[in-house]
Amino acid sequence: MSKDATTRTTTRRTALTGLGALGVMTTAGACSLLPGGDEEPAGGTDPAPGAGSDGGGASSEPAPEPGTTFDDWAAAEDLRLVEIDTAAADERTRIEPGPFEREDRFGTWASPGFPDDSPLLTAEPLEFDAEAAAALGGESEARSALRDVLLQTIVEVADTPLLLEADNSRSGEIGPVLVKAFGLEGFDPSAFDPLFEEVPISGAPTPEVGVPEMFDLEPAPYPEDGPRMSVLDTSSLLARVPEGTTFPGAGAALVAFVRGVVPIVRKGEDGFLRREVAFYLGVEDGRMNALMTYVVATVPTLAISDAEELPLVEPTEVPEDWQEISFGRLTAAIPPTSGELEEVELGISSVDADGTRKSGITLFRLPVPSPYLLDAVLYAARAEIGGADLVTAAVSPGGEDGMVVAVRVHVGEEEYRVQVNGVSAEAAPVLAHQVLAGIRVEG
């Protein structure tokens, strides 16, 4: 992957924000439409390739310094892989063919659908703020709106018909559907086009590159008259948008989180492409102001039975010239760049002067995966960090620009992903241990 993007657009009358892709497998973008203002594009980045390896020298050579090799980590061939039971997930969510027939260059399939009594739709929100509900017309209206946001997150974002296209040329299809689904008919859908154009909802780092080309995969044959995606986990919440941060007055934030998988074929073997999505809809003043933000993580995935199987490694020390960034309850230390920090509702990114996203933190509020889902890694391990329930670290190939170092920090139902892109194979072992050293959980 060469580039992720975070985009903010401000136009006359409304506020819309979207966070598309973040990191080697995660993309993020934002677009905000509020009264007045100018367009302010912001860049993001992508991951990088390479595989760090440390050679074992002759027995006469001194042992390497701790934290300078991946000797204590699990290599890809060391992992004991297990199956992802999509049949059980489909039975649990009661997924069924939805009302829309979808089509892309690989074939046709049905959108995901769910009966009204599906546990996916009847689950209690993680949070349900009474004042935010009142701003939406009351509890019944707020719960209905929150369910709609969750459904659209699954149907239009997680299982988007743009997911496996060769490029992002169909991006104009997304805005009109969401505007209608969310009751935002007062908005011109084309005002949101820059969000989906510059931050591909597929999760690809650039509009010109498709996910199949990026990861060298193709989808498994689509089922006849059925959904292609299985939904593994979901959650939602209703909160308030703080007055003055996005809107002149306090607004209501409806947030949905989804984890799903799409069957693929990669390197001649069956597998899954993981889609993790966080979608944020903020509304104010009778939906005259609106804000959308989304985060999409897209990556071929592996499953192990339990993250505790990963070897425990020790962090080292944070270099003096690194900078700290914080989001939610997490603080991380990242290498310095020549650019700026950019924060939206679901994450924060360090963006270099050329617009390349170098590192950042992204938040998904989803349970710890069971079995535990890893990226298609070169090396993986875990660490013990005070205040965290589980911390896993992975080093993955990220394309021609370098490798990706990603740390996932699980704190209750919150999952923070700390990612550094464009790391050389030589620097990866040292940097991975340093990133772990800079993780701190607050509160």
Side-chain angles (χ1 to χ4, degrees):
M1 300 169 64
S2 59
K3 188 174 182 183
D4 291 332
T6 300
T7 313
R8 283 189 179 273
T9 304
T10 304
T11 64
R12 262 178 337 167
R13 188 174 168 249
T14 41
L16 174 68
T17 313
L19 188 69
L22 202 66
V24 105
M25 43 218 73
T26 313
T27 62
C31 169
S32 180
L33 302 172
L34 286 168
D38 301 316
E39 184 172 299
E40 301 176 11
T45 89
D46 59 3
S53 66
D54 47 316
S59 58
S60 60
E61 294 182 2
E65 290 290 324
T68 61
T69 73
F70 287 123
D71 287 351
D72 295 333
W73 295 51
E77 59 269 21
D78 300 326
L79 299 173
R80 295 193 301 163
L81 304 182
V82 298
E83 295 292 327
I84 299 173
D85 193 345
T86 54
D90 294 345
E91 182 177 357
R92 183 173 63 253
T93 62
R94 299 178 60 192
I95 194 170
E96 59 188 26
F100 307 114
E101 181 177 88
R102 293 292 167 69
E103 181 176 5
D104 66 10
R105 57 177 168 156
F106 294 103
T108 60
W109 72 100
S111 63
F114 306 91
D116 289 342
D117 59 352
S118 166
L120 181 149
L121 300 180
T122 60
E124 276 297 305
L126 296 174
E127 299 177 21
F128 195 83
D129 185 272
E131 290 189 25
L136 293 172
E139 180 175 344
S140 176
E141 291 83 354
R143 288 184 180 276
S144 177
L146 189 56
R147 188 177 76 166
D148 289 344
V149 170
L150 175 59
L151 280 172
Q152 294 306 316
T153 300
I154 296 170
V155 175
E156 300 297 339
V157 183
D159 190 44
T160 173
L162 279 60
L163 173 58
L164 298 172
E165 291 290 27
D167 56 34
N168 199 37
S169 58
R170 294 177 58 187
S171 60
E173 298 177 15
I174 303 299
V177 174
L178 294 180
V179 166
K180 181 178 180 180
F182 295 147
L184 302 174
E185 286 86 351
F187 294 81
D188 177 2
S190 66
F192 304 130
D193 284 350
L195 169 64
F196 302 109
E197 289 171 356
E198 299 171 23
V199 184
I201 204 167
S202 66
T206 63
E208 296 79 19
V209 179
V211 166
E213 287 75 15
M214 179 174 63
F215 290 121
D216 189 22
L217 60 82
E218 62 183 36
Y222 297 151
E224 294 184 7
D225 303 322
R228 65 178 179 180
M229 170 177 281
S230 292
V231 178
L232 305 182
D233 298 292
T234 64
S235 65
S236 63
L237 64 91
L238 177 68
R240 279 172 286 174
V241 180
E243 182 175 351
T245 57
T246 301
F247 300 136
L254 304 101
V255 192
F257 304 89
V258 175
R259 177 185 292 127
V261 290
V262 175
I264 59 171
V265 178
R266 187 169 185 249
K267 299 180 180 178
E269 296 185 358
D270 294 339
F272 290 99
L273 184 72
R274 187 169 85 246
R275 293 279 285 174
E276 288 174 317
V277 176
F279 192 94
Y280 180 112
L281 173 67
V283 292
E284 179 199 40
D285 190 21
R287 303 200 181 196
M288 296 300 290
N289 295 327
L291 168 72
M292 291 189 202
T293 300
Y294 66 93
V295 177
V296 180
T298 303
V299 64
T301 195
L302 307 171
I304 58 176
S305 62
D306 189 343
E308 296 294 330
E309 296 180 2
L310 296 173
L312 186 65
V313 298
E314 290 293 330
T316 52
E317 294 183 357
V318 178
E320 291 184 0
D321 63 340
W322 282 25
Q323 65 182 122
E324 284 195 342
I325 59 174
S326 297
F327 191 82
R329 299 168 63 185
L330 194 78
T331 294
I334 58 173
T337 70
S338 55
E340 299 179 350
L341 292 178
E342 295 177 351
E343 183 172 352
V344 292
E345 288 67 27
L346 296 167
I348 185 171
S349 300
S350 173
V351 181
D352 220 338
D354 64 357
T356 299
R357 181 185 176 278
K358 301 298 293 184
S359 52
I361 301 173
T362 309
L363 172 63
F364 298 92
R365 296 190 68 174
L366 290 166
V368 177
S370 180
Y372 198 79
L373 303 184
L374 294 170
D375 306 337
V377 299
L378 298 168
Y379 302 98
R382 61 187 177 90
E384 292 183 347
I385 304 292
D389 299 317
L390 173 67
V391 178
T392 62
V395 179
S396 307
E400 60 187 19
D401 294 335
M403 300 170 70
V404 177
V405 173
V407 176
R408 291 159 72 185
V409 182
H410 301 272
V411 185
E413 79 279 356
E414 298 176 337
E415 177 184 321
Y416 295 91
R417 183 183 182 91
V418 180
Q419 186 163 303
V420 180
N421 302 321
V423 182
S424 70
E426 295 75 20
V430 173
L431 186 139
H433 290 86
Q434 291 170 335
V435 172
L436 285 171
I439 302 293
R440 191 168 71 248
V441 177
E442 310 287 354

